[in-house]
């Protein structure tokens, strides 16, 4: 295995195309990429998606599992997630396995490069498996989450990216992922009648559930310091533990009880440990998680946009602090990576090839390919007046605050937004004429 050609695959979801419109997806069941919608069409579709996701716990439309299977393949979900029902992605195209190989010292690269990568390797080391999703998750919740991803796992660096799909496609994917749910006759319905939420709260704290799980909005829980996230045996459990405020929407009470009692029996290989408890204790804990009063989530805020810098900003500084750190991993040089320039350049994850190469000054200057196949500049002004590249970075900040822009997909895709100072740096460089 050669190290250089695989660099783009190592971080395939680290960021995305700055020029992406809000709808780049392939049509359900198609085998060829569909042309992205215009900004106005994308806005209408995104508005419909937002409305469809407004009540994620509601019963989902039935969906078509066969179409969902094709979509899961087209969206390349297996490049990050195991348990998709698809053949595993090749080792050199599996984002998470590449990162795991680097962390474990199995990746074939010079020792100096391995040391440098490990010092900065924080994302995509752990991603939840989709195995047994039907036995754990409500179909309606899956659909809503696909349409409006949010920070479900607060101790995981990456989040689910905002894919270019609409309500019908989300329903189809949810139908496919829940297709193998065991019949109720195989798992008797568990009623919470008679369960004690008060006792469940005591058990929740006594058994150390807060060591891995956040439970935002539940008042008065004892603060528990999480285990060190780099401890091999506990890192994945901490990183993948979902915030329990979402548990009542994600799962039915009977499924939660079965999960708490023996998670490994439902999803073999899960890092969730089996904590010794009786069925009655499990019901009490679930009663607490499912019924505890929750304070409303704190409103999200967008960082204040900083004024342009008066000092000189060069490409080298912007490349070192911004492009090289995240952007170029999805907008890389195809000749450097066996023809795979990442989803923001040569396409992937359901996104149409945009030809945006952020690995070099010349590549950035060449811009991206629009819906009509014409080259456009990422420095041209968008509807809001900001350069398109800057608009995508600002849109990611807005997404994190719960204010997704229907017309612009925020970047970096699936990763924390850039800080105000980093965006200020990019915007100042563009305003100064993009000096090298």
């Amino acid at each position: 295995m050669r190290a250089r050609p695989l660099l783009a695959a190592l971080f395939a979801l680290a960021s995305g195309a700055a020029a992406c419109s809000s709808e780049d997806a392939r049509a359900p069941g198609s085998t060829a990429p569909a042309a992205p919608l215009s900004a106005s069409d994308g806005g209408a579709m995104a508005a419909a998606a937002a409305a469809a996701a407004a009540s994620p716990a509601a019963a989902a439309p039935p969906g078509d599992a066969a179409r969902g299977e094709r979509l899961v393949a087209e969206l390349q979900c297996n490049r990050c997630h195991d348990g998709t029902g698809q053949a595993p992605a090749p080792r050199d195209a599996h984002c998470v396995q590449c990162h795991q190989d680097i962390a474990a010292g199995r990746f074939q690269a010079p020792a100096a490069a391995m040391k440098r990568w490990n010092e900065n390797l924080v994302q995509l080391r752990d991603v939840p498996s989709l195995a047994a999703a039907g036995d754990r998750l409500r179909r309606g919740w899956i659909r809503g989450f696909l349409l409006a991803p949010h920070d479900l796992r607060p101790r995981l660096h990456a989040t689910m990216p905002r894919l270019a799909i609409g309500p019908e496609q989300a329903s189809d994917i949810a139908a496919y992922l829940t297709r193998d749910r065991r019949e109720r006759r195989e798992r008797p319905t568990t009623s919470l009648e008679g369960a004690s939420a008060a006792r469940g709260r005591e058990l929740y704290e006594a058994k150390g559930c807060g060591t891995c799980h956040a439970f935002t909005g539940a008042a008065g829980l004892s603060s528990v310091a999480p285990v060190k996230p780099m401890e091999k045996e506990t890192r994945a459990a901490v990183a993948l533990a979902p915030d329990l405020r979402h548990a009542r929407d994600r799962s039915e009470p009977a499924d939660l009880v079965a999960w708490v009692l023996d998670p490994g029996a439902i999803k073999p290989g899960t890092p969730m440990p089996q904590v010794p408890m009786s069925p009655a204790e499990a019901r009490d804990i679930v009663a607490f998680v499912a019924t505890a009063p929750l304070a409303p989530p704190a409103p999200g805020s967008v960082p204040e946009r900083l004024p342009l810098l008066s000092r000189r900003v060069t490409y080298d500084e912007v490349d070192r602090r911004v492009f090289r750190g995240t952007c170029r991993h999805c907008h890389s040089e195809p000749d450097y990576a066996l023809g795979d320039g990442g989803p923001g350049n040569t396409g992937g994850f359901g996104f149409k090839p945009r030809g945006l190469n952020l690995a070099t000054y010349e590549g950035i200057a060449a811009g991206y390919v629009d819906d009509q196949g014409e080259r456009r500049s990422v420095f041209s002004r968008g509807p809001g007046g900001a350069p398109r590249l800057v608009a995508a970075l600002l849109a990611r900040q807005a997404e994190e605050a719960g204010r997704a822009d229907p017309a612009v997909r925020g970047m970096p895709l699936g990763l924390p937004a850039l800080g105000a100072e980093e965006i200020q740096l990019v915007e100042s460089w563009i305003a100064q004429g993009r000096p090298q």
Side-chain angles (χ1 to χ4, degrees):
M1 181 185 294
R2 293 179 294 165
R4 284 171 60 90
L6 300 179
L7 290 179
L10 297 180
F11 303 91
L13 274 185
S15 62
C20 280
S21 70
S22 64
E23 177 55 32
D24 264 320
R26 304 176 184 200
S30 70
T31 57
L37 298 180
S38 67
S40 58
D41 289 337
M45 189 168 189
S55 181
D64 185 311
R67 286 202 306 260
E69 182 176 15
R70 291 194 294 270
L71 281 166
V72 166
E74 291 172 10
L75 295 170
Q76 299 177 306
C77 301
N78 64 345
R79 289 186 66 175
C80 287
H81 294 284
D82 294 329
T84 64
Q86 309 284 331
R91 194 77 178 180
D92 60 359
H94 196 299
C95 315
V96 179
Q97 288 181 355
C98 277
H99 281 206
Q100 292 172 344
D101 284 349
I102 291 173
R106 295 189 295 263
F107 193 80
Q108 296 181 23
M114 290 284 285
K115 181 178 184 297
R116 184 175 68 254
W117 293 343
N118 266 303
E119 288 174 350
N120 298 286
L121 186 57
V122 295
Q123 68 263 15
L124 293 181
R125 292 184 61 183
D126 302 288
V127 173
S129 168
L130 300 180
D135 290 323
R136 300 178 290 114
L137 305 174
R138 287 184 169 125
R139 182 178 297 182
W141 182 86
I142 295 175
R143 176 178 182 266
F145 184 69
L146 288 171
L147 292 172
H150 54 83
D151 190 2
L152 177 64
R153 294 175 168 85
R155 291 169 183 159
L156 190 65
H157 187 74
T159 61
M160 178 69 189
R162 185 177 154 207
L163 298 174
I165 59 174
E168 182 180 358
Q169 293 167 309
S171 293
D172 293 341
I173 294 171
Y176 170 67
L177 294 178
T178 57
R179 70 200 181 284
D180 292 331
R181 178 176 176 81
R182 285 178 282 179
E183 296 293 337
R184 278 301 181 188
R185 55 185 169 78
E186 297 181 31
R187 186 191 301 166
T189 300
T190 300
S191 169
L192 295 183
E193 184 177 355
S196 170
R199 174 62 177 157
R201 183 189 184 96
E202 295 173 359
L203 289 165
Y204 178 95
E205 301 210 72
K207 295 185 180 295
C209 302
T211 303
C212 294
H213 289 282
F215 194 4
T216 58
L221 292 176
S222 299
S223 177
V224 179
V227 293
K228 294 180 180 179
M230 296 306 292
E231 292 178 1
K232 181 179 178 180
E233 63 275 14
T234 56
R235 187 201 70 249
V238 173
L240 296 176
D243 185 339
L244 294 178
R245 85 170 288 125
H246 307 295
R248 61 191 66 179
D249 291 331
R250 295 177 78 218
S251 305
E252 297 180 13
D255 294 334
L256 282 175
V257 172
W259 176 258
V260 168
L261 279 172
D262 191 356
I266 296 171
K267 185 182 178 183
T270 178
M272 169 81 174
Q274 183 178 10
V275 179
M277 68 181 72
S278 68
E281 289 176 322
R283 291 173 62 250
D284 288 343
I285 290 175
V286 170
F288 167 59
V289 170
T291 65
L294 300 178
S301 61
V302 177
E304 182 179 355
R305 192 168 169 184
L306 299 178
L308 296 176
L309 293 168
S310 58
R311 68 171 179 84
R312 179 177 170 82
V313 179
T314 65
Y315 166 75
D316 286 342
E317 182 181 4
V318 177
D319 183 54
R320 174 174 50 82
R321 292 181 55 184
V322 180
F323 298 146
R324 191 182 307 171
T326 54
C327 306
R328 68 168 55 179
H329 299 126
C330 274
H331 298 270
S332 60
E333 173 55 57
D335 291 341
Y336 189 63
L338 296 178
D340 183 359
N345 187 355
T346 52
F349 300 102
F351 294 103
K352 182 181 179 180
R354 288 295 188 179
L356 179 58
N357 181 358
L358 299 180
T360 66
Y361 182 89
E362 293 75 17
I364 299 170
Y368 70 101
V369 177
D370 69 8
D371 297 348
Q372 288 72 44
E374 299 292 332
R375 279 276 168 187
R376 301 292 181 189
S377 173
V378 295
F379 307 122
S380 62
R381 301 285 171 177
R388 291 184 181 277
L389 180 60
V390 174
L393 302 178
L394 295 172
R396 181 61 182 148
Q397 291 184 334
E399 287 174 359
E400 288 189 334
R403 306 173 196 170
D405 185 339
V408 182
R409 182 166 286 99
M411 300 296 157
L413 188 70
L415 284 182
L418 296 185
E421 292 184 354
E422 294 169 302
I423 296 177
Q424 177 192 44
L425 190 72
V426 174
E427 191 166 13
S428 299
W429 173 67
I430 294 173
Q432 292 176 18
R434 309 183 296 281
Q436 288 188 282

